[in-house]
Amino acid sequence: MLKKFSLFFHPIEIDLSFTPFALRLNNETYQVMKASDENIADLLGLEQEVYFGRTPWSRFSFKSELKKHANSLYLVVYQGSTLVGFVGMRMQAQEGHITNIAVKPTYQRRGIGEFLLRTMIGIAQKNRAVQMTLEVRSDNYNAQSLYRKLGFKDNFIRKNYYTTEQADAISMIKELTD
Ligand SMILES: CC(C)(COP(=O)(O)OP(=O)(O)OC[C@H]1O[C@@H](n2cnc3c(N)ncnc32)[C@H](O)[C@@H]1OP(=O)(O)O)[C@@H](O)C(=O)NCCC(=O)NCCS
């Protein structure tokens, strides 16, 4: 292939490597690392806590998402052996799509959700993403406040996106600039 054309056809390499580290936030210390199958029981437990006994993401969904090493990244935050938060992102083309984010109720309002989202935005930017997207229930005002604080804007409504609860989603977008 001619060199000048190979530039166009060369797929953008995505680097979702992540080095675990200790996070100091508001006088507390947490461990932040990439999620693995070993964390699935904790992820399901945290989901049940934040979604009143429901697990919108099943064991199977987590397992299959965690296998997609090439374009999917899940981060978990632990304090000791307690999972206190997690976030998931899928990179597609030049877009970082937040698939899931939750913080354990007793650890909410301590900056963990904001930290997780900012971390994913940073990783997407390093991978030359030009935008971030996500869906949020139209009545989930707490999560919307977090997203708006970090510059996400309403894009469009997905009617009945959450089919079991017959709830609409707002599709939100944040343009990434240098
Ligand atoms: C949404 C969620 C992840 C936020 O996590 P968190 O760690 O509590 O958020 P933070 O402490 O980092 O808050 C950052 C900002 O988000 C907004 N925010 C978060 N929780 C809020 C609440 N209960 N009420 C109002 N604003 C809120 C605020 O703007 C806050 O900034 P501030 O503290 O300077 O006011 C958490 O509430 C959660 O897990 N909810 C249940 C699961 C969920 O709804 N996930 C999103 C699915 S789309």
Side-chain angles (χ1 to χ4, degrees), residues 68-82:
K68 298 177 188 154
H69 301 288
N71 69 341
S72 167
L73 176 66
Y74 268 71
L75 297 180
V76 284
V77 181
Y78 275 85
Q79 190 171 57
S81 58
T82 306

Side-chain angles (χ1 to χ4, degrees), residues 50-51 101-103 108-114 135-136 140 142-143 145-147 149:
V50 296
Y51 296 117
I101 182 169
V103 173
Q108 289 180 5
R109 298 312 304 261
R110 298 186 191 191
I112 298 170
E114 183 169 338
E135 276 91 28
V136 57
N140 188 347
N142 297 344
S145 305
L146 166 63
Y147 305 144
K149 181 178 182 186

